[in-house]
Amino acid sequence: MSKFFKHSHALVESEAVGEGTRVWAFAHILPGARIGSGCNICDGVFIENDVVVGNDVTIKCGVQLWDGLRVEDGVFIGPNATFTNDSFPRSKQHAFELQQTLVKSGASIGANATILPGLTIGARAMVGAGAVVTRDVPDGAIVMGNPARVTGHVDDQESP
């Protein structure tokens, strides 16, 4: 008996899903993915094989997590946020240089933000809705716009 909740219309092929995680309708988690405990994976989320998701992560509707993505504990990923893992994608190109992206603990990614491959989103950083992140985001930075620019910093007293 599994120790996580799986909606009857979700497809969870991975056996590495942590206790207390909830996987909602039409989510698809491939066999190689590793998902921590206490996560909330909302409707229509797709998670590829070479993805690691930490504990207490929220992934809202319409998000795809592609190979090479590492998400640390306590991260929030807003609806339809987009991650990429190939900086020069071409049709029918099966061999490409997979670029690893890291989202550090406590970071928040706003709805419809786009994160280019090979970047690091710093701990507790906030990426604004619709931002296009083209470079690393420092710990605690707030970034917005296209391309995303630092517009402020998260209060150090805020809980992670």
Side-chain angles (χ1 to χ4, degrees):
M1 179 174 231
S2 64
K3 296 184 179 186
F4 68 93
F5 169 80
K6 179 181 86 72
H7 189 280
S8 62
H9 295 323
L11 178 54
V12 178
E13 298 179 87
S14 175
E15 294 183 17
V17 178
E19 185 173 347
T21 288
R22 297 170 299 173
V23 182
W24 296 99
F26 311 111
H28 185 177
I29 302 173
L30 294 184
R34 294 183 313 206
I35 311 297
S37 63
C39 295
N40 189 31
I41 300 171
C42 295
D43 289 12
V45 170
F46 176 75
I47 302 177
E48 225 170 7
N49 282 300
D50 183 19
V51 172
V52 177
V53 174
N55 300 320
D56 302 315
V57 172
T58 297
I59 305 169
K60 299 304 276 183
C61 300
V63 173
Q64 296 87 42
L65 304 182
W66 305 111
D67 285 341
L69 184 61
R70 303 295 181 260
V71 178
E72 293 184 350
D73 297 345
V75 168
F76 174 87
I77 301 174
N80 300 302
T82 300
F83 293 88
T84 59
N85 64 1
D86 183 357
S87 59
F88 195 73
R90 306 299 273 173
S91 179
K92 306 274 184 187
Q93 177 184 340
H94 301 289
F96 68 95
E97 182 181 336
L98 178 66
Q99 296 184 42
Q100 193 171 86
T101 298
L102 172 62
V103 182
K104 289 187 173 181
S105 64
S108 292
I109 311 291
N112 293 304
T114 299
I115 313 299
L116 295 186
L119 301 179
T120 297
I121 307 299
R124 297 176 44 253
M126 297 195 76
V127 176
V132 178
V133 180
T134 60
R135 64 182 86 170
D136 291 343
V137 175
D139 291 350
I142 299 169
V143 299
M144 295 188 281
N146 180 5
R149 302 272 190 238
V150 175
T151 60
H153 296 284
V154 176
D155 182 356
D156 287 336
Q157 301 305 312
E158 182 181 1
S159 61

